[in-house]
């Protein structure tokens, strides 16, 4: 009698929700520690620069990191896709940690000087050009596709936590031990992320997905990534919607809000309350996505939240008092936070993981490179025409992103995975 071999079929693996997955939580803890360290670092850098030079020189030092970050961001996306996002994030955090601790030691023994601070800012910006695309590409390697939207919400909450905790922690460190102590704490917080990231398990890409980033030169990989975005029916219009939304949003909610508070006599305290309202709304949007894990009709909802958020941005300039402005800012934060979270979730779920570093790099370049151009333009326009008309024009630019989302069929019908 012939005995047939018994074939064992592995039981299907039940995916653990992201908020209960130890692997995701280790990554999230590492990310939060690194982001808190970043917030402490930027506060320490601006404080040390003010102490070492004039206000104009301090402004140059704090802004100097933006140039290498903008110039090298696309190349950083290629690096993330070629070498793997976890490896790149670990290396980037190690370099950032070493640089910040070295400056802390230098300031501990000598007075603050502009040159070491400038070199640190340049190095930090250069490493950020590689770090940011890798951070954006890492979630798809640590969780399943159906959990990426929830992870995007959890990541948003970590960013809000970092902004709430980082500034007071940096201020306390400066009060206790000066800029050297703040730089030291920033370096130690960034260092916490390295062993945590080392323990994070990453998913290997399938052979057909892993191939595109390893066959050609870096320039060819970059060109392939840009072609991939341009030909993608969802990502191409989504990038345009992100660009228009950020261009219309950054000016009013940064320099425009300061000028509005000064014009209405709200003072620094009033502006602080308005910013708190915005931050609360944005945090609530991230919490909603983290809890729900998925919102239906994501593409259509994205367009509607952009439209509603643009109306709220325009209305902010006509708020009759601080209390009303706080309420409008809360609505702006909720709608802008929700549209931003949906943009991030759609980027994560629509992009092939092999291209996600380059996709994140293009998105980051749009936000960090093009959108800040709106700040000096907004300031000049407010000086010429007043806050109301400029806020309305900015809202109209932002609303164009919603038009793109509605008129691009593939983006309008885009869904987050179940």
């Amino acid at each position: 009698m012939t005995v047939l071999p018994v074939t064992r079929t592995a039981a299907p693996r039940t995916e653990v929700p992201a908020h209960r997955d130890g692997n995701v939580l280790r990554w999230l803890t590492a990310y939060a520690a690194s982001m808190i360290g970043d917030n402490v670092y930027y506060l320490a850098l601006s404080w040390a620069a003010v102490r070492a030079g004039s206000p104009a020189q301090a402004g140059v030092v704090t802004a100097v990191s933006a140039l290498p970050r903008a110039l090298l961001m696309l190349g950083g996306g290629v690096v993330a896709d070629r070498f793997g996002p976890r490896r790149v994030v670990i290396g980037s955090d190690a370099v950032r940690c070493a640089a910040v601790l070295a400056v802390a030691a230098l300031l501990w023994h000598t007075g603050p000087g502009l040159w070491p601070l400038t070199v640190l800012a340049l190095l930090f910006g250069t490493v950020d050009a590689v770090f940011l695309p890798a951070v954006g590409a890492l979630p798809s390697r640590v969780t399943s596709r159906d959990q990426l939207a929830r992870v995007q919400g959890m990541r948003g909450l970590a960013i809000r936590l970092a902004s709430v905790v980082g500034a007071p922690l940096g201020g306390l460190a400066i009060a206790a031990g000066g800029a050297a102590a703040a730089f030291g704490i920033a370096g130690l917080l960034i260092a916490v992320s390295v062993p945590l990231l080392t323990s994070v398990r990453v998913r290997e890409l399938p052979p057909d997905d892993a191939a595109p980033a390893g066959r050609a030169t870096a320039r060819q990989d970059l060109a392939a990534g840009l072609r991939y975005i341009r030909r993608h029916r969802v990502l191409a219009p989504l990038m345009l919607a992100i660009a228009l939304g950020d261009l219309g949003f950054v000016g009013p909610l940064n320099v425009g809000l300061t000028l509005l508070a000064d014009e209405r006599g709200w003072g620094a305290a009033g502006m602080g309350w308005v910013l708190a309202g915005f931050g609360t709304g944005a945090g609530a949007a991230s919490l909603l996505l983290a809890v729900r894990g998925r919102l239906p009709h994501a593409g259509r909802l994205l367009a509607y939240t952009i439209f509603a958020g643009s109306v709220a941005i325009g209305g902010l300039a006509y708020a009759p008092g601080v209390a009303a402005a706080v309420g409008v800012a809360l609505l702006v934060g909720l709608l802008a936070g929700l549209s931003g979270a949906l943009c991030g979730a759609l980027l994560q779920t629509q992009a092939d993981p092999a291209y996600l570093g380059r996709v994140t790099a293009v998105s980051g370049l749009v936000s960090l490179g093009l959108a800040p151009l709106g700040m000096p333009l907004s300031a000049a326009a407010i000086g010429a025409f007043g806050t109301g008309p400029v806020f309305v024009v900015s809202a109209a630019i932002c609303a164009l992103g919603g038009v793109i989302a509605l008129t691009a069929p593939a983006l309008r019908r885009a869904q987050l995975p179940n």
Side-chain angles (χ1 to χ4, degrees):
M1 184 177 73
T2 303
V3 179
L4 296 176
V6 177
T7 302
R8 292 185 177 181
T9 302
R13 181 175 180 264
T14 302
E15 293 293 348
V16 179
H19 61 283
R20 298 178 183 173
D21 188 340
N23 197 49
V24 173
L25 294 178
R26 285 194 298 275
W27 164 79
L28 188 67
T29 303
Y31 180 73
S34 182
M35 289 298 99
I36 294 172
D38 276 7
N39 278 270
V40 175
Y41 156 77
Y42 283 113
L43 184 62
L45 181 68
S46 60
W47 178 266
V50 168
R51 300 278 293 183
S54 66
Q57 290 172 325
V60 171
V61 170
T62 54
V64 76
S65 61
L67 182 62
R69 186 170 55 211
L71 292 177
L72 303 175
M73 181 81 75
L74 294 180
V78 173
V79 171
D81 286 336
R82 279 194 159 222
F83 296 100
R86 186 186 69 157
R87 186 183 304 174
V88 173
V89 171
I90 291 173
S92 300
D93 270 347
V95 172
R96 298 186 328 151
C97 171
V100 173
L101 290 179
V103 170
L106 180 64
L107 294 183
W108 190 263
H109 294 288
T110 63
L114 288 175
W115 280 113
L117 297 175
T118 304
V119 171
L120 174 62
L122 282 171
L123 179 61
F124 217 84
T126 302
V127 177
D128 262 357
V130 180
F131 173 79
L132 294 175
V135 164
L138 194 53
S140 66
R141 306 288 187 93
V142 301
T143 190
S144 58
R145 188 169 177 269
D146 64 311
Q147 294 296 313
L148 283 173
R150 174 173 278 125
V151 167
Q152 189 68 21
M154 295 166 66
R155 181 182 174 190
L157 288 174
I159 293 173
R160 295 297 159 193
L161 174 67
S163 63
V164 169
V165 174
L169 182 61
L172 289 173
I174 290 173
F183 277 126
I185 289 177
L188 292 176
L189 283 166
I190 296 173
V192 168
S193 68
V194 175
L196 286 171
L197 288 170
T198 304
S199 67
V200 170
R201 301 184 307 276
V202 295
R203 298 167 182 261
E204 295 299 327
L205 294 181
D208 57 332
D209 284 347
R215 290 176 174 172
T217 64
R219 179 177 295 180
Q220 290 170 328
D221 282 345
L222 176 57
L226 295 176
R227 281 196 305 272
Y228 172 77
I229 295 171
R230 180 170 54 85
R231 295 172 180 173
H232 200 287
R233 293 184 303 165
V234 174
L235 295 180
L238 182 59
M239 289 293 182
L240 185 55
I242 291 172
L244 290 169
D246 283 345
L247 191 61
F249 178 81
V250 170
L253 266 297
N254 285 276
V255 62
L257 182 58
T258 303
L259 296 174
L260 179 64
D262 181 64
E263 178 185 291
R264 298 295 180 84
W266 295 344
M271 188 178 71
W273 279 110
V274 174
L275 288 173
F278 169 76
T280 302
S286 296
L287 181 60
L288 174 64
L289 194 56
V291 172
R292 289 290 302 272
R294 179 183 182 271
L295 297 176
H297 310 293
R300 197 173 283 112
L301 182 60
L302 170 64
Y304 295 154
T305 53
I306 291 176
F307 279 132
S310 65
V311 172
I313 288 173
L316 185 60
Y318 298 95
V322 174
V326 171
V328 175
L330 182 68
L331 186 61
V332 171
L334 179 63
L335 294 167
L338 192 55
S339 62
L342 286 170
C343 284
L346 287 170
L347 283 177
Q348 291 285 331
T349 54
Q350 292 288 329
D352 187 315
Y355 290 97
L356 197 47
R358 283 162 284 182
V359 170
T360 305
V362 173
S363 174
L365 183 61
V366 166
S367 297
L368 299 174
L370 297 180
L373 295 176
M375 288 191 283
L377 291 176
S378 294
I382 288 173
F385 306 106
T387 54
V390 173
F391 270 65
V392 170
V393 171
S394 297
I397 294 172
C398 191
L400 287 176
V403 174
I404 296 296
L406 277 182
T407 56
L411 177 55
R412 184 179 66 249
R413 293 193 297 263
Q415 297 274 11
L416 297 176
N418 286 316

